[in-house]
């Protein structure tokens, strides 16, 4: 039995794909491909798969019906270089294996992230965790030069501490989260889809979304059919709660969106009459907008 290989992916192994100023994603290795998903599913379904016409149909069936273990048969290993503030978000994904560069053992390089001027924006009023409208140029410039100055002063202090004999594990406390770290990251396709569904989403911070997009681009080469199903049913799919189903029914019966939302218990206004900017009603309208905007 020969190991599965995808020639296009083999050519990508070891190639650095830049992300942000000093970061990158590298595909280090992989195990399996779309065929491994199909093979596992056919073992578990046996004769049952006869009703499924082809491999693509089977993979799409598995995705729709959340039969997830066949997707666990595919594994990916990446080398990722990323700012510490992005790493803190990434490491929350526990269903993966990580081995990080040790700043107790090695000296942290003098590389830190300074967001581009267009990335420094107002606090978002809609997504409480995100950024929104542009800021005046002088505010942006001040922020970026403060960040530069703070990081270079911090690195100078770090270097002084090391030269004075302070242990690396202690000296690193001087470095802010804009500095970079690096790790190997191994994950199976099922858990990767979960990671991507959260980190490609518009609610995730822009920087981690850039990494997620690069990871997705590489991983897709190995399992194009599974990725197509993931995009069709998870990324582009919609789920509706009970109240949303009721509101949709009322819309189909000819009610306006505010009428349907009010009758279904999806509030669009506050008690004082002001329009809501977040909440179940607003999210339902966003879902309707996604339906309308689909090409
Ligand atoms: C937009 C966004 C904003 C966020 N904001 C915050 C924030 O403000 N503060 C914060 O702390 N975190 C925040 N997070 C992190 C978030 O809460 C999750 O920790 C992170 O997305 C990892 O998701 P996960 O636990 O599903 O993934 P994984 O750790 O990979 O777990 C995958 C799945 O395995 C199961 N699982 C794994 N471990 C356990 C467990 N111990 N118990 C039960 N089930 C388990 C769950 O079903 C889980 O969904 C944010 C994430 C996103 C995407």
């Amino acid at each position: 039995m020969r190991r599965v290989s995808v020639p296009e992916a083999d050519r990508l192994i070891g190639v650095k794909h830049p992300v942000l100023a000093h970061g990158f994603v590298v595909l280090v290795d992989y195990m399996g491909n779309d065929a491994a998903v199909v093979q596992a599913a056919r073992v578990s379904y046996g004769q049952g798969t006869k009703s499924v016409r082809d491999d693509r149909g089977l993979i799409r069936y598995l995705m729709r019906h959340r039969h997830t273990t066949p997707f666990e048969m595919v594994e990916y290993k990446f080398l990722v270089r990323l700012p510490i503030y992005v790493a803190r978000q990434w490491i929350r994904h526990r269903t993966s294996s990580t081995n990080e560069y040790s700043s107790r053992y090695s000296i942290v390089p003098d590389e830190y992230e300074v967001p581009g001027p267009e990335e420094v924006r107002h606090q978002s009023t809609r997504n409480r965790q995100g950024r929104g409208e542009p800021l005046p140029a002088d505010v942006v410039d001040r922020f970026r030069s403060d960040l530069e100055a703070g990081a270079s002063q911090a690195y100078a202090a770090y270097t002084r501490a090391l030269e004075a004999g302070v242990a690396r594990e202690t000296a690193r406390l001087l470095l802010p989260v804009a500095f970079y770290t690096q790790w190997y990251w191994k994950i199976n396709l099922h858990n990767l889809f979960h990671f991507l569904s959260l980190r490609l989403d518009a609610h995730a911070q822009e920087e981690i979304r850039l990494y997620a997009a690069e990871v997705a681009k590489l991983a897709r080469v190995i399992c194009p059919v599974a990725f197509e199903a993931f995009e069709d049913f998870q990324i582009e799919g919609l789920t509706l709660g009970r109240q949303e189903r009721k509101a949709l029914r009322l819309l189909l019966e000819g009610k306006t969106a505010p009428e349907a939302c009010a009758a279904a218990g999806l509030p669009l206004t506050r008690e004082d009459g002001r329009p809501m900017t977040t909440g179940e009603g607003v999210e339902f309208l966003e879902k309707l907008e996604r339906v309308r905007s689909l090409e």
Side-chain angles (χ1 to χ4, degrees):
M1 198 175 183
R2 291 188 55 199
R3 177 185 179 277
V4 167
S5 82
V6 179
E8 207 187 331
D10 291 345
R11 282 192 288 277
L12 289 169
I13 285 182
V15 178
K16 272 188 193 174
H17 297 267
V19 185
L20 302 178
H22 308 287
F24 57 73
V25 174
V26 173
L27 176 66
V28 175
D29 207 353
Y30 65 94
M31 183 179 85
N33 59 0
D34 279 328
V37 177
V38 170
Q39 182 196 42
R42 293 209 192 277
V43 165
S44 79
Y45 283 132
Q47 294 296 309
T49 53
K50 283 199 169 150
S51 60
V52 180
R53 275 204 308 274
D54 58 16
D55 290 355
R56 180 170 175 272
L58 176 55
I59 286 177
R60 293 174 72 79
Y61 173 89
L62 298 172
M63 184 64 72
R64 286 199 308 282
H65 294 272
R66 290 188 288 178
H67 183 161
T68 52
T69 44
F71 296 105
E72 293 174 24
M73 299 300 148
V74 181
E75 290 271 346
Y76 295 91
K77 185 157 80 174
F78 296 98
L79 176 64
V80 187
R81 181 158 169 67
L82 69 177
I84 295 167
Y85 70 97
V86 178
R88 285 184 58 175
Q89 298 177 333
W90 196 309
I91 202 69
R92 300 299 304 278
H93 296 267
R94 296 159 288 181
T95 48
S96 57
S97 306
T98 311
N99 204 95
E100 188 174 6
Y101 176 95
S102 171
S103 53
R104 296 179 68 196
Y105 189 76
S106 306
I107 293 175
V108 177
D110 185 12
E111 284 177 347
Y112 48 87
E113 182 61 20
V114 179
E118 64 292 346
E119 300 307 331
V120 184
R121 300 199 296 273
H122 261 292
Q123 178 63 44
S124 167
T125 48
R126 302 205 53 217
N127 170 2
R128 286 184 200 157
Q129 291 189 328
R131 61 193 94 156
E133 298 302 310
L135 281 162
D138 61 317
V139 176
V140 172
D141 291 347
R142 166 59 65 89
F143 170 80
R144 296 182 74 242
S145 61
D146 282 352
L147 179 52
E148 287 268 7
S152 60
Q153 274 169 26
Y155 200 79
Y158 173 68
T159 308
R160 270 198 309 277
L162 292 177
E163 284 168 2
V166 178
R168 287 184 287 266
E169 67 175 12
T170 315
R172 65 182 172 170
L173 271 64
L174 289 159
L175 298 177
V177 291
F179 277 81
Y180 275 74
T181 186
Q182 187 164 312
W183 58 38
Y184 282 98
W185 188 60
K186 187 169 78 65
I187 189 162
N188 69 46
L189 182 57
H190 167 63
N191 292 326
L192 180 63
F193 283 150
H194 181 66
F195 171 85
L196 293 175
S197 68
L198 292 168
R199 300 303 180 177
L200 287 173
D201 189 89
H203 293 92
Q205 184 159 348
E206 242 163 81
E207 287 84 343
I208 198 165
R209 276 161 57 194
L210 294 174
Y211 279 94
E214 210 53 55
V215 166
K217 216 190 294 172
L218 290 168
R220 176 186 205 107
V221 174
I222 293 154
C223 291
V225 178
F227 263 79
E228 181 198 29
F230 166 65
E231 280 170 0
D232 286 350
F233 299 117
Q234 286 197 40
I235 298 285
E236 294 296 334
L238 281 181
T239 53
L240 296 179
R242 186 200 301 264
Q243 288 77 7
E244 291 174 317
R245 278 175 60 189
K246 187 170 175 191
L248 185 61
R249 198 194 71 217
L250 293 168
L251 280 174
L252 292 172
E253 288 170 5
K255 296 265 191 291
T256 64
E259 287 167 352
C261 285
L266 295 170
L268 292 173
T269 49
R270 298 172 209 273
E271 279 177 10
D272 61 8
R274 282 187 301 140
M276 297 183 82
T277 53
T278 56
E280 293 182 29
V282 174
E283 285 172 28
F284 176 64
L285 295 187
E286 285 169 358
K287 289 181 188 178
L288 289 181
E289 196 42 49
R290 282 187 64 200
V291 173
R292 286 195 195 96
S293 64
L294 192 67
E295 291 185 3

